[in-house]
Amino acid sequence: MLTKDRIEEVLQFAESQVRRLVENYPDFFPIYTVGGKWFHTGELWTDWTGGFLAGMMWQFYRRTRSPYWREKAVHYSKLLEHRKEDRNVHDLGFIFLNSYLPWYEETGDPALKDVIITAGRTLALRYQPKGKYLCSFIGPHSLFIDIMMNVPIVFYAAIHTGDQQLMDIALNHCRTTRDRLVRPDGSVAHEGLFDVETGQFLRQSTHQGLSAESCWARGLAWSLYGFTKVHAMTGLEEFLEVAERNAQYWILHLPVDKIPYWDFCADLAQPPPWGAQKETSSAAIAASGLLDLARQTKVPEHSVAYRSTALAMLEALTDPQYLAISTPGWEGILKHAVYHTRKNLGVDESVMWGDYFFVEGLTKLALEKEASN
Ligand code: GLY
């Protein structure tokens, strides 16, 4: 059972893993492990995960108020500031909402808020007015489901500047994603392809999932949590409906042990990595998202189902089968995550975002338990 003591024990293990990383490899922002080790020379595909390392430090600081974690969180956040004008990635939400936003929330320093707003404006430059979406790093013809976790920084910039054009960009992006990538049963496609001349939608596609028609587990987790965040920021019920559709697909298709396979359409009779390969990072993302969705849904029975699923997933992740606590020499926190199967990057390894969302989900529980004591 996920008692207060167990949550604290697991978070202290997470702290020790991150402390070892920053002491062994100062100022290094890893993406995935190789054989359980963070430092390697493998390909990044795209540089999108810096905010998760800084983000874990902010999560540790929020819970412990330790000066060590505050100093590290500030230092690692500052190392990301130059990315606020990076036009090569669609990931500025991942980078700044987990680093500069908690820093701003701790201090109220307007200079920190300006960094977030600049990053939001930079992300908005990816907008394709004909197709009405923020394009992925692949090119102007490509829409990724992952961007649902980044569009909140455009909403943030719109809300904090009163810029209606930014607001329209963010709203249009969410509606195009809902209409083109989220299917009626709540499953999602990873990518949508468009004709850049006309803006016409052509077809669904994938890079990291099994196929264009399948449901890549992490893509569904990004959608579930992203639409949940957008509903929280806008209050618009149309986005709550999408998050709940995603949640229902998730809950209906989750294996009995509560940890999804890498793609909900994978043939489980086949061996890993294309068949029965677990993907712990998607469980961590969905669990943290479901904890929020449980508070946002208007339906009490849904709230109970979302929260109990989130708790069951987080508890399953604390089993030594998944948590690296009993694996000497393993440098990540969660084992058995997958970054990119087709490119053979970080398959059955630890990934920085899996560790981050696991820590975020457990910290939400630790702080709510503290508040109710
Ligand atoms: N590129 C985002 C992801 O791997 O989920």
Side-chain angles (χ1 to χ4, degrees):
M1 205 188 142
L2 265 188
T3 59
K4 187 175 188 298
D5 288 348
R6 178 67 181 146
I7 291 170
E8 184 56 29
E9 181 190 4
V10 171
L11 285 171
Q12 283 181 15
F13 166 69
E15 285 184 64
S16 68
Q17 295 296 81
V18 177
R19 189 186 272 257
R20 186 142 51 104
L21 166 63
V22 301
E23 282 167 11
N24 286 348
Y25 315 116
D27 296 354
F28 173 57
F29 287 91
I31 292 189
Y32 58 93
T33 61
V34 172
K37 309 287 184 205
W38 285 122
F39 191 78
H40 58 84
T41 52
E43 193 194 331
L44 305 181
W45 194 39
T46 166
D47 183 3
W48 62 287
T49 62
F52 300 127
L53 181 54
M56 270 193 281
M57 296 165 180
W58 283 114
Q59 295 290 327
F60 296 148
Y61 176 65
R62 286 181 64 216
R63 182 182 109 268
T64 62
R65 309 314 284 180
S66 144
Y68 175 84
W69 285 123
R70 191 180 194 289
E71 190 268 313
K72 291 286 179 230
V74 168
H75 177 79
Y76 276 76
S77 297
K78 274 188 192 157
L79 293 176
L80 298 169
E81 183 178 348
H82 67 285
R83 304 289 305 275
K84 70 186 175 191
E85 279 159 2
D86 183 345
R87 295 190 62 181
N88 294 320
V89 297
H90 57 247
D91 304 296
L92 297 181
F94 282 137
I95 294 170
F96 287 96
L97 295 178
N98 299 316
S99 57
Y100 272 74
L101 182 58
W103 190 6
Y104 171 65
E105 286 171 348
E106 284 293 336
T107 60
D109 178 350
L112 302 174
K113 183 158 86 171
D114 287 347
V115 172
I116 307 168
I117 290 170
T118 302
R121 287 196 184 283
T122 303
L123 183 59
L125 296 173
R126 306 192 74 77
Y127 189 61
Q128 304 299 306
K130 289 197 177 130
K132 298 188 191 300
Y133 57 91
L134 298 162
C135 67
S136 82
F137 81 102
I138 297 287
H141 59 289
S142 163
L143 163 67
F144 270 21
I145 194 68
D146 322 24
I147 302 171
M148 277 311 303
M149 285 293 278
N150 292 287
V151 70
I153 200 166
V154 182
F155 280 110
Y156 187 93
I159 291 164
H160 290 271
T161 59
D163 184 332
Q164 189 57 40
Q165 204 188 349
L166 279 181
M167 180 57 85
D168 291 342
I169 286 173
L171 288 170
N172 286 344
H173 174 84
C174 296
R175 290 175 181 142
T176 303
T177 304
R178 173 194 62 195
D179 296 343
R180 299 308 187 186
L181 299 188
V182 184
R183 306 184 184 115
D185 66 356
S187 68
V188 302
H190 181 194
E191 187 184 34
L193 299 177
F194 291 75
D195 180 325
V196 283
E197 298 303 324
T198 62
Q200 193 196 342
F201 175 68
L202 300 175
R203 63 183 180 280
Q204 297 184 342
S205 174
T206 195
H207 292 261
Q208 286 162 277
L210 184 64
S211 71
E213 299 76 33
S214 76
C215 183
W216 174 47
R218 194 157 65 255
L220 182 60
W222 290 145
S223 183
L224 185 166
Y225 200 172
F227 278 104
T228 299
K229 277 180 184 290
V230 168
H231 170 253
M233 294 181 89
T234 62
L236 292 172
E237 303 258 332
E238 61 181 299
F239 300 131
L240 180 61
E241 182 278 321
V242 188
E244 297 219 49
R245 214 172 346 133
N246 293 151
Q248 273 146 31
Y249 185 95
W250 185 278
I251 291 171
L252 199 62
H253 294 84
L254 205 54
V256 210
D257 71 353
K258 305 295 178 197
I259 305 300
Y261 295 93
W262 72 289
D263 191 297
F264 282 102
C265 302
D267 178 356
L268 302 183
Q270 298 301 317
W274 293 96
Q277 170 65 56
K278 291 289 190 184
E279 209 295 85
T280 51
S281 82
S282 55
I285 298 158
S288 192
L290 283 169
L291 288 176
D292 292 352
L293 190 57
R295 281 188 292 273
Q296 291 170 219
T297 180
K298 310 280 187 295
V299 185
E301 303 81 49
H302 292 180
S303 179
V304 171
Y306 300 158
R307 188 174 167 87
S308 63
T309 304
L311 294 178
M313 287 194 292
L314 287 170
E315 185 176 358
L317 289 172
T318 63
D319 187 285
Q321 185 189 348
Y322 297 116
L323 188 71
I325 200 159
S326 306
T327 312
W330 193 275
E331 294 179 350
I333 299 167
L334 284 183
K335 299 183 291 178
H336 304 303
V338 176
Y339 179 19
H340 200 311
T341 307
R342 205 161 271 106
K343 284 182 170 285
N344 193 26
L345 303 177
V347 177
D348 205 22
E349 292 287 344
S350 288
V351 296
M352 201 34 86
W353 58 93
D355 288 3
Y356 170 77
F357 286 101
F358 179 60
V359 165
E360 184 194 86
L362 288 180
T363 303
K364 283 178 188 172
L365 294 177
L367 293 181
E368 83 186 16
K369 284 180 182 229
E370 229 160 66
S372 65
N373 273 347

